[in-house]
Amino acid sequence: MSEKTAQSADRTGASPEAIMSHYDMGNDFFQLVLDPEMVYSCAQFEPGDDLAAAQRRKLDDHIRAAGAANAARVLDIGCGWGAMLRRLVDHAGVAHAVGLTLSPSQAQWIRRTPNPKIEVLEQDWRDHKPERRYDAIVSIGAFEHFVQKGLDPAVKLDAYRTFFAYCDRVLAIGGKLSLQTIAYSERTKVQPLLDKTFPESDLPLEWEPIAAAEGLFSLIAARNDADHYYQTLVMWEKNLLANYDKAVALVGKTNTDEFRRYLRMSAAGFRGGMVSLMRYSFRKKY
């Protein structure tokens, strides 16, 4: 057994292979669905916003919540295609932004336009050992992948505590963490299509991140923006349908139709209150 395999066996959460099975459908495919900055997470809408404006608003709100503006060093855990990294260094005055992803295609997308202020690593957060602490941490849409399905609730909560303990170790005293995750409003069974789309992953309950942070972080704010994710998913589906023939040419009709069903099922879950979109802001205590 390799060292990498041994590490994965000892850890909760989705494997790199499981992450890649979804996010590596291809950059060209996701360009058909997402906004120009390739943000694959819930936007934040104000009246009159199109998808691009709502995604910028979301990024800026996380920067504010993390106190990241003009910081020397900021960590983005689960950086996707790099929209937050670019926003941090190009618009928020951050000197050095580090992004972590398990998806090679996402890392390659970010590196296609080199920026000396941006560093992207294909690395699990548990393996990232910075030489100096960060002034702020942002994590958007990664927390969903930190535990596997079927874990005992106590084991699941301990896994989340491990994440907050890690953030505590690499964050400067008084630093802030801005966290966004999909969450269950109550314990429920996972829909089969969601299981197929995001293998080896589970969602937290709304209260679990708060409980896991206890003792290390103070909760500053928490909000449920499920309606914002409903709007985001509707817009993604609209983009997919507008580019349906191109999507089929890239990934096939079966994959395209399954992705559309995933978008519609997720939208129904947010609209019906089965799942929430939680945004949390925490401050490190010591």
Side-chain angles (χ1 to χ4, degrees):
M1 182 182 290
S2 69
E3 180 181 354
K4 185 175 182 180
T5 303
Q7 285 178 340
S8 298
D10 292 336
R11 293 176 173 174
T12 61
S15 65
E17 293 77 15
I19 297 293
M20 286 186 282
S21 72
H22 180 74
Y23 293 99
D24 282 3
M25 285 181 67
N27 294 335
D28 291 342
F29 173 80
F30 282 105
Q31 277 187 288
L32 301 177
V33 178
L34 307 180
D35 66 297
E37 283 294 313
M38 297 277 281
V39 183
Y40 191 30
S41 55
C42 176
Q44 189 167 325
F45 291 90
E46 292 290 342
D49 280 350
D50 61 11
L51 182 58
Q55 292 291 15
R56 287 193 299 270
R57 186 183 307 281
K58 182 268 299 293
L59 296 176
D60 289 343
D61 193 62
H62 279 285
I63 291 170
R64 178 198 58 75
N70 301 311
R73 289 167 52 79
V74 178
L75 176 64
D76 182 1
I77 299 176
C79 64
W81 285 273
M84 174 60 79
L85 300 174
R86 294 186 292 272
R87 195 72 178 170
L88 285 165
V89 302
D90 293 340
H91 299 277
V94 171
H96 187 64
V98 176
L100 305 181
T101 179
L102 295 179
S103 168
S105 69
Q106 290 181 338
Q108 290 165 10
W109 175 272
I110 297 169
R111 292 176 185 137
R112 82 195 196 287
T113 308
N115 187 322
K117 295 182 178 181
I118 291 176
E119 181 181 2
V120 59
L121 302 170
E122 294 167 51
Q123 193 174 48
D124 189 297
W125 54 267
R126 285 159 286 207
D127 298 322
H128 180 58
K129 298 176 175 60
E131 295 180 358
R132 292 187 293 123
R133 293 188 178 190
Y134 291 99
D135 302 297
I137 298 175
V138 176
S139 185
I140 301 171
F143 201 83
E144 294 93 332
H145 302 295
F146 290 171
V147 303
Q148 296 170 333
K149 296 178 180 67
L151 289 182
D152 179 86
V155 175
K156 183 183 178 189
L157 192 58
D158 281 344
Y160 294 147
R161 289 194 178 105
T162 299
F163 170 74
F164 282 100
Y166 172 81
C167 292
D168 176 63
R169 288 196 302 274
V170 302
L171 188 60
I173 294 174
K176 295 178 183 178
L177 161 66
S178 188
L179 175 68
Q180 176 172 310
T181 181
I182 304 169
Y184 289 128
S185 56
E186 58 187 45
R187 296 193 189 278
T188 184
K189 293 182 179 180
V190 178
Q191 294 286 348
L193 186 60
L194 295 180
D195 190 22
K196 182 176 181 179
T197 307
F198 294 105
E200 300 182 15
S201 300
D202 199 6
L203 301 179
L205 292 161
E206 293 170 355
W207 58 268
E208 286 179 319
I210 300 172
E214 187 177 356
L216 299 175
F217 289 85
S218 297
L219 178 66
I220 300 172
R223 54 185 284 180
N224 181 355
D225 284 334
D227 55 330
H228 291 246
Y229 218 152
Y230 173 77
Q231 293 180 68
T232 304
L233 289 156
V234 168
M235 288 188 173
W236 286 344
E237 185 190 7
K238 182 178 179 180
N239 289 344
L240 179 63
L241 291 178
N243 295 287
Y244 184 82
D245 291 341
K246 294 179 182 178
V248 170
L250 287 171
V251 302
K253 188 176 188 304
T254 298
N255 287 332
T256 300
D257 290 344
E258 283 193 352
F259 192 83
R260 186 190 179 195
R261 283 195 294 272
Y262 151 71
L263 294 177
R264 293 175 65 86
M265 182 180 293
S266 298
F270 284 106
R271 193 168 202 182
M274 292 183 293
V275 284
S276 306
L277 188 281
M278 300 303 299
R279 308 190 213 253
Y280 306 95
S281 179
F282 297 95
R283 180 186 289 111
K284 178 175 172 172
K285 284 188 172 181
Y286 307 107

